[in-house]
Amino acid sequence: MLRFLGLVALGGVTGGLAALAAVGFVGAVLWLNDLLLVSPRGRMMFAHPEWLAVATVLVPTLGGLIVGQLHRAIPEGRPHTPADAIAAVQTRRGRLPPRAGALSALSGLVSLGAGASVGQYGPLVHMGASLGSAGARLL
């Protein structure tokens, strides 16, 4: 019984940490959207409206280049997704590579921050799974 309660507490702590990371991730995306003139609020508050057309082309272009370089640094050459977390549970006892998880989360942050029209839930799910896997590896 004590072991069960310990696992429940550990699951709660891991879930809480993943939730805090998710809140930070979403906040960082919103901040980048304002900073890089992707959001309507950021565009409206920008002091030089004549530069908005340049930013509209330049920000997604540079964001895509940065994301491409991040993908090259991941051993598989692509970001990890929730499907990779499911496959890890089925084939590798839930072990996710920490480097791929961190680079995938950073890739998602940069692409969303630069205006990519992709969802944020995939990176959040994989980030939570990577945190859980790292916690299990520590124990």
Side-chain angles (χ1 to χ4, degrees):
M1 181 67 170
L2 188 59
R3 180 180 166 108
F4 174 75
L5 290 176
L7 285 175
V8 169
L10 183 61
V13 168
T14 302
L17 290 174
L20 288 174
V23 168
F25 183 90
V26 171
V29 167
L30 294 174
W31 177 75
L32 278 173
N33 284 167
D34 283 343
L35 178 73
L36 299 175
L37 306 174
V38 173
S39 70
R41 180 183 178 279
R43 295 175 74 81
M44 184 175 63
M45 302 302 251
F46 190 56
H48 307 286
E50 61 275 2
W51 287 97
L52 285 177
V54 173
T56 301
V57 174
L58 199 60
V59 167
T61 302
L62 292 176
L65 289 171
I66 292 169
V67 167
Q69 293 304 310
L70 287 170
H71 288 185
R72 290 179 66 186
I74 299 171
E76 292 86 4
R78 62 169 181 79
H80 284 204
T81 64
D84 292 298
I86 293 168
V89 168
Q90 292 177 340
T91 62
R92 296 189 306 267
R93 297 176 52 193
R95 300 213 169 142
L96 292 166
R99 176 185 165 116
L103 289 173
S104 294
L106 183 59
S107 168
L109 177 67
V110 171
S111 66
L112 288 165
S117 59
V118 295
Q120 41 185 306
Y121 297 115
L124 292 177
V125 167
H126 191 271
M127 187 171 58
S130 293
L131 287 173
S133 177
R137 203 174 299 113
L138 286 174
L139 295 175

